[in-house]
Amino acid sequence: MEKLIINSTTREKRYILLKDHVVEKLVIEQPKQQATVGNIYLGLTEKVLPGLNAAFIGIGQEKSGFLHKEKLSSFVNEDQEKAVKENRSISSYVHQGEKMLVQIEKDAAGTKGPRLTGIIELAGEHMIYMPEGRYVAISKKIDQPTDRHRLRSFGMREKNDREGLIFRTSSLEQSESALLEELQNLREQYKEISALAASRKKPGLVFEEDVFLQSLIEEVKKMKSGEILADDRSVQTLLGRYTSLPVTFYHDKENILASHSLEGEIEKAIKRIVWLNQGSYLIFDEAEALTVIDVNTGKFSGKQNRQDTVYKTNELAAREAARQIRLRDLAGIILIDFIDMQNENDKKSIIKVMGEELAKDERQTKLIGFTPLGILQLTRKKTKNSLRELLTSSCRVCHGTGRVLSAESIAFRLERELWEYRGSDYDAVLIRLTQDVKDVFLGEQAVHQQRLEDTLGMKLLFSIAEDVIPSYEIKQLGAYSDLKKNLH
């Protein structure tokens, strides 16, 4: 039984996917932290680095992007043996001051700018179109040789020399005429993007993908049974086009996730300790270069001998660790310190369990195996910040040794709480909050205040709290004149 619950009425967009009442996926998008993966920019080559075989590309953002030689369209389309091309300097393929279309492959993180590619990908419903790709690929989930051969032959026949195509799993059920129509539409889309870029004089965005909605659509397409609840009419209508399942509109005042007792699941997903059913627990330590997950038996003692207790704990931990990796959107190098197992067969069984659980992940993962010290190594492709990086910021009180909810998260929490008062008998609300929360809540030049007051049907009054931690408190609801007096 699956249930998809979507909270998208306020600026922070969120959805949670439940399978058999267990949270399987959690997606949150904040305006400032909106994923840029898939966005296409007109880029300007600022610096070529032959020693790194890469270049820095300005895209009109705060940080320049990093583009490796093998991701240049000029490299891909040169008619030379790959070994010959690899031995040539990047200076043979790009020069300072050159303009080009680039696409973000990985969001900026920390001090690093975004990672770019010059091999543009436009995603259709049944295929991915690459104007400069030069190859045809088939989804690994299409495993019948005859089906793979048919799609590959169609792709090679219909594309030109420079183009590339990747056929999605759903392409298997489409006629050639339907696939050809989609290909033509994607070509037209690329022409429009190219024309827009050609009209620009400065680097900047020319195509933006709504990652949140695209993610929702892909999630809905995969659902075979269950229910979908959305608190936004436009989202309800949009998703109804992609599924035969009922998409129900949620109209109660209480936040949709709170009404399903799911707000706590978000809090759990950024906590350091995760408890398992039998009293054992996991500890998550995220660093910039890697994440370490430590497994502890806790109160779990098992019913057999110590070896049985250790294996059962590790098996539980493996399944939960894989789920938490998805929920927290952990990426890069991940090390899991299981409780020491002397039996090699037990280690092999844990690797098998971990492999089965990681197979559920839509993000690319690679299970490497145990080190001589008994630590399981794996990697997961990173395209955006983890949930912890998204929702929290370094605490000014403890100088980065701990974490607190960011001003953005607190501001959006306030907006959701106020949303529950819409249509009430009160005509004003007095809120005490820190300045940073107020700045986010109202936006630049208080652009959101009028919209919120019109929506809620009440005036918003503020008093500033002198607190170093982002916070707010709804002090009083009542008549505007009374609250105005209290404010002074």
Side-chain angles (χ1 to χ4, degrees):
M1 180 65 181
E2 293 182 311
K3 180 183 278 191
L4 182 63
I5 303 173
I6 307 153
N7 174 214
S8 57
T9 51
T10 55
R11 284 172 285 166
E12 184 179 59
K13 314 296 182 186
R14 311 180 297 171
Y15 75 78
I16 287 180
L17 177 67
L18 299 163
K19 290 187 178 180
D20 296 326
H21 309 290
V22 176
V23 177
E24 279 296 311
K25 191 169 186 179
L26 167 60
V27 174
I28 299 177
E29 183 186 90
Q30 295 180 351
K32 278 191 175 180
Q33 297 285 350
Q34 188 172 351
T36 57
V37 173
N39 287 357
I40 300 174
Y41 294 79
L42 173 64
L44 177 67
T45 306
E46 295 177 336
K47 194 172 184 179
V48 179
L49 307 169
L52 294 176
N53 258 332
F56 283 112
I57 311 293
I59 57 174
Q61 303 293 309
E62 182 182 350
K63 296 175 182 175
S64 298
F66 184 83
L67 179 62
H68 195 270
K69 180 179 74 174
E70 293 184 351
K71 298 291 185 175
L72 285 162
S73 61
S74 54
F75 175 87
V76 171
N77 285 295
E78 186 185 38
D79 291 324
Q80 292 282 350
E81 293 290 330
K82 188 176 181 181
V84 174
K85 293 194 288 184
E86 286 178 346
N87 286 327
R88 294 179 64 183
S89 168
I90 187 173
S91 301
S92 303
Y93 300 100
V94 65
H95 58 83
Q96 188 172 337
E98 183 177 344
K99 292 181 179 180
M100 68 180 80
L101 278 180
V102 291
Q103 189 170 31
I104 293 186
E105 278 192 324
K106 179 181 176 183
D107 279 328
T111 58
K112 297 178 182 177
R115 191 173 66 202
L116 307 175
T117 178
I119 312 304
I120 305 300
E121 294 186 359
L122 293 177
E125 193 169 350
H126 309 298
M127 69 176 71
I128 294 171
Y129 170 65
M130 296 172 288
E132 307 283 347
R134 293 194 71 133
Y135 68 91
V136 173
I138 316 295
S139 166
K140 292 180 180 178
K141 292 181 181 179
I142 299 177
D143 53 8
Q144 290 298 318
T146 52
D147 293 329
R148 296 181 67 84
H149 176 73
R150 177 175 62 83
L151 287 170
R152 190 178 298 279
S153 298
F154 168 78
M156 294 301 294
R157 184 173 70 249
E158 296 299 336
K159 82 176 193 69
N160 64 39
D161 288 343
R162 297 174 73 93
E163 291 177 329
L165 296 172
I166 301 174
F167 287 99
R168 297 174 180 265
T169 309
S170 61
S171 64
L172 188 61
E173 302 167 358
Q174 304 302 309
S175 65
E176 287 193 357
S177 60
L179 292 174
L180 185 57
E181 182 181 358
E182 182 170 296
L183 174 57
Q184 297 292 11
N185 290 337
L186 291 170
R187 284 170 173 160
E188 287 300 317
Q189 185 182 4
Y190 180 68
K191 283 182 183 178
E192 292 173 7
I193 292 170
S194 299
L196 180 59
S199 68
R200 297 279 181 85
K201 293 183 179 180
K202 294 182 179 180
L205 181 69
V206 292
F207 172 79
E208 184 173 20
E209 193 164 31
D210 192 327
V211 178
F212 183 82
L213 278 181
Q214 283 301 123
S215 176
L216 264 181
I217 290 168
E218 292 301 319
E219 211 63 62
V220 164
K221 285 180 181 177
K222 289 184 285 187
M223 291 178 69
K224 304 298 182 186
S225 63
E227 58 181 321
I228 303 164
L229 291 89
D231 61 0
D232 187 306
R233 285 282 189 192
S234 61
V235 172
Q236 178 199 23
T237 303
L238 175 69
L239 297 183
R241 301 175 195 161
Y242 295 93
T243 180
S244 59
L245 296 176
V247 184
T248 305
F249 175 64
Y250 174 87
H251 53 77
D252 288 351
K253 290 184 178 181
E254 187 180 15
N255 175 324
I256 187 171
L257 295 186
S259 72
H260 287 79
S261 303
L262 292 172
E263 289 287 357
E265 294 296 328
I266 298 174
E267 300 288 343
K268 287 180 185 177
I270 56 176
K271 284 187 175 179
R272 186 167 177 256
I273 295 177
V274 174
W275 289 92
L276 305 178
N277 291 337
Q278 281 77 1
S280 51
Y281 60 95
L282 308 177
I283 298 177
F284 288 78
D285 285 313
E286 289 184 55
E288 187 171 346
L290 54 82
T291 298
V292 178
I293 305 172
D294 188 30
V295 181
N296 292 273
T297 53
K299 300 175 182 177
F300 182 46
S301 58
K303 296 180 179 179
Q304 305 288 328
N305 53 31
R306 183 183 183 280
Q307 181 178 328
D308 176 73
T309 299
V310 167
Y311 177 78
K312 290 294 183 186
T313 302
N314 285 339
E315 182 183 18
L316 283 168
R319 298 187 189 280
E320 184 60 24
R323 188 177 80 94
Q324 290 291 332
I325 287 169
R326 295 194 301 273
L327 285 183
R328 296 167 184 249
D329 218 348
L330 301 177
I333 300 169
I334 300 172
L335 305 178
I336 306 178
D337 187 8
F338 287 102
I339 300 166
D340 188 37
M341 293 174 285
Q342 302 299 324
N343 189 319
E344 289 299 318
N345 287 331
D346 286 350
K347 290 183 180 180
K348 290 177 182 178
S349 295
I350 292 299
I351 290 176
K352 183 181 178 183
V353 169
M354 200 73 199
E356 291 170 352
E357 295 300 316
L358 291 175
K360 301 174 183 177
D361 196 346
E362 58 195 31
R363 193 84 64 80
Q364 181 182 338
T365 59
K366 184 177 180 181
L367 187 56
I368 298 166
F370 281 98
T371 69
L373 293 175
I375 297 173
L376 186 65
Q377 306 171 91
L378 61 113
T379 61
R380 186 171 186 260
K381 185 176 180 180
K382 180 163 187 171
T383 59
K384 60 179 182 177
N385 292 335
S386 71
L387 193 65
R388 175 175 169 268
E389 291 170 319
L390 172 69
L391 294 181
T392 66
S393 59
S394 294
C395 177
R396 290 171 289 174
V397 176
C398 59
H399 305 290
T401 59
R403 309 290 295 185
V404 296
L405 285 173
S406 65
E408 284 80 5
S409 294
I410 297 295
F412 297 134
R413 180 179 289 179
L414 169 59
E415 186 176 356
R416 284 193 292 272
E417 186 171 341
L418 287 174
W419 199 262
E420 296 178 10
Y421 290 103
R422 67 191 185 278
S424 65
D425 294 329
Y426 304 110
D427 62 2
V429 56
L430 175 60
I431 306 159
R432 184 170 174 79
L433 74 178
T434 51
Q435 186 64 51
D436 52 358
V437 173
K438 182 182 177 183
D439 291 343
V440 175
F441 181 73
L442 294 182
E444 292 184 16
Q445 299 179 342
V447 294
H448 299 298
Q449 183 163 357
Q450 187 64 53
R451 175 183 65 84
L452 287 167
E453 288 179 345
D454 290 344
T455 302
L456 299 171
M458 62 174 71
K459 291 288 186 181
L460 303 178
L461 298 173
F462 304 97
S463 66
I464 300 301
E466 298 299 330
D467 195 339
V468 294
I469 298 173
S471 63
Y472 76 85
E473 181 185 4
I474 295 177
K475 296 290 291 183
Q476 195 174 352
L477 291 144
Y480 176 74
S481 57
D482 293 338
L483 297 190
K484 191 75 173 176
K485 291 176 184 177
N486 293 342
L487 185 61
H488 296 293

